[in-house]
Amino acid sequence: MSQIVEFAKEIYSRFGTIKRARKCFLYTAKGVRLTDLYQEGGRAILGWAGSVLTVFKNVLERGASGSYFTDFSSPCGREASRLDRALSALFADERKAFVFSSKQAALEAAISLSQESTSVWRPWNPVSLDTRTIDCIVFAPAFPWAGDIFILAAKSSLAEKLSPEILSQNHFKGETFLAAPLAAAVTRSVYDLVKALQEREEKHWFIYDQILTKYWERKGPYLFPKVPESKYADFVLHCLDSNLVISPDYYQPSIVPFGADKGNFTLLKNRPFDF
């Protein structure tokens, strides 16, 4: 987290605050538009703003934002929630949603359900994976929210075996409750992802290879640095001075910005980074 905070300070020192964000662009107080390749660690892979925020706003305006059950959540798994149905559509299999505030907590709960068949998933993962064969899937929803939300999508057949006693044990004590506006927005983000998975493909990513593959190895939309780790911090700042926001974490891939054009990389092309 401190790494992200320090990076945010670097952005602020150069460009001021972020006034708004749309698609893969960040618009700053100093009038400079930044192209976002960090994308909140993948949470903004579908872009900033869009339908999820409209849904969030609409549900928030109803005032149903407390810690009680609403149309967007169901009592203790006795019936399928809207999020359950969205996950079932995403993974083409009947799933039950459990929400956690940390990746570690989600993984511990998943492993307690199925030690032999638990996987971390991300969209357009270069590694072929038939999710229907995985008992427990942990992933970060494609919802650019300034906080940690991790979803455990467990096979319904496994989840049905969970008693209140098991749910109260250590591995599930980290489960968190999403108030209606957040639950509705996360659910919409899953359906948006289902649609995007059918539309986005290799042709949308390789068009930038001439510029990007000098510095990254691309696997699908994900960019893994060729720049040595010892020089990566300098490269992050060099990109920032080229109006590009890349992942500040060497081990967290950057992402090809969907909706950008080659002109957004002109400064980096004209000012190459020597490594």
Side-chain angles (χ1 to χ4, degrees), residues 22-79:
R22 293 290 185 274
K23 297 182 179 178
C24 63
F25 300 110
L26 306 175
Y27 296 83
T28 70
K30 293 187 178 180
V32 177
R33 187 179 73 171
L34 306 176
T35 303
D36 183 16
L37 287 75
Y38 174 49
Q39 298 177 23
E40 207 70 6
R43 293 179 185 272
I45 197 169
L46 299 185
W48 293 94
S51 64
V52 290
L53 293 187
T54 300
V55 169
F56 180 85
K57 177 183 176 183
N58 290 343
V59 177
L60 183 63
E61 287 179 342
R62 299 181 195 178
S65 56
S67 53
Y68 35 71
F69 295 115
T70 68
D71 289 345
F72 301 95
S73 59
S74 60
C76 303
R78 288 183 296 191
E79 57 184 271

Side-chain angles (χ1 to χ4, degrees), residues 20-209:
R20 66 188 181 96
R22 293 290 185 274
K23 297 182 179 178
C24 63
F25 300 110
L26 306 175
Y27 296 83
T28 70
K30 293 187 178 180
V32 177
R33 187 179 73 171
L34 306 176
T35 303
D36 183 16
L37 287 75
Y38 174 49
Q39 298 177 23
E40 207 70 6
R43 293 179 185 272
I45 197 169
L46 299 185
W48 293 94
S51 64
V52 290
L53 293 187
T54 300
V55 169
F56 180 85
K57 177 183 176 183
N58 290 343
V59 177
L60 183 63
E61 287 179 342
R62 299 181 195 178
S65 56
S67 53
Y68 35 71
F69 295 115
T70 68
D71 289 345
F72 301 95
S73 59
S74 60
C76 303
R78 288 183 296 191
E79 57 184 271
S81 70
R82 295 186 182 187
L83 181 55
D84 294 338
R85 294 194 290 271
L87 293 175
S88 298
L90 176 62
F91 296 121
D93 189 24
E94 291 298 316
R95 295 281 168 171
K96 174 66 182 173
F98 300 91
V99 182
F100 297 85
S101 58
S102 77
K103 183 178 180 181
Q104 183 64 31
L107 280 171
E108 288 177 359
I111 291 171
S112 74
L113 282 179
S114 179
Q115 187 170 1
E116 302 300 324
S117 185
T118 287
S119 179
V120 177
W121 178 87
R122 64 184 175 193
W124 298 286
N125 193 325
V127 179
S128 178
L129 179 70
D130 184 355
T131 56
R132 293 171 297 181
T133 66
I134 306 299
D135 289 343
C136 294
I137 299 170
V138 173
F139 75 104
F143 176 42
W145 183 258
D148 289 333
I149 299 173
F150 290 89
I151 297 175
L152 161 57
K155 281 183 174 289
S156 294
S157 56
L158 275 178
E160 288 169 357
K161 299 176 182 178
L162 292 174
S163 65
E165 291 75 21
I166 294 176
L167 288 172
S168 66
Q169 291 174 3
N170 288 338
H171 292 309
F172 278 86
K173 283 185 177 179
E175 188 182 4
T176 191
F177 180 87
L178 291 181
L182 268 178
V186 169
T187 300
R188 173 53 64 89
S189 77
V190 174
Y191 282 119
D192 286 349
L193 183 56
V194 171
K195 184 173 184 290
L197 284 167
Q198 298 169 350
E199 297 174 344
R200 299 187 189 183
E201 52 188 328
E202 177 67 14
K203 67 180 182 181
H204 296 115
W205 306 313
F206 82 86
I207 55 177
Y208 310 106
D209 280 358

Side-chain angles (χ1 to χ4, degrees), residues 211-231:
I211 300 169
L212 298 182
T213 54
K214 177 179 179 179
Y215 305 106
W216 289 277
E217 179 183 359
R218 182 178 63 80
K219 297 180 180 180
Y222 299 102
L223 300 170
F224 298 86
K226 292 179 179 178
V227 176
E229 186 174 2
S230 61
K231 292 190 175 183

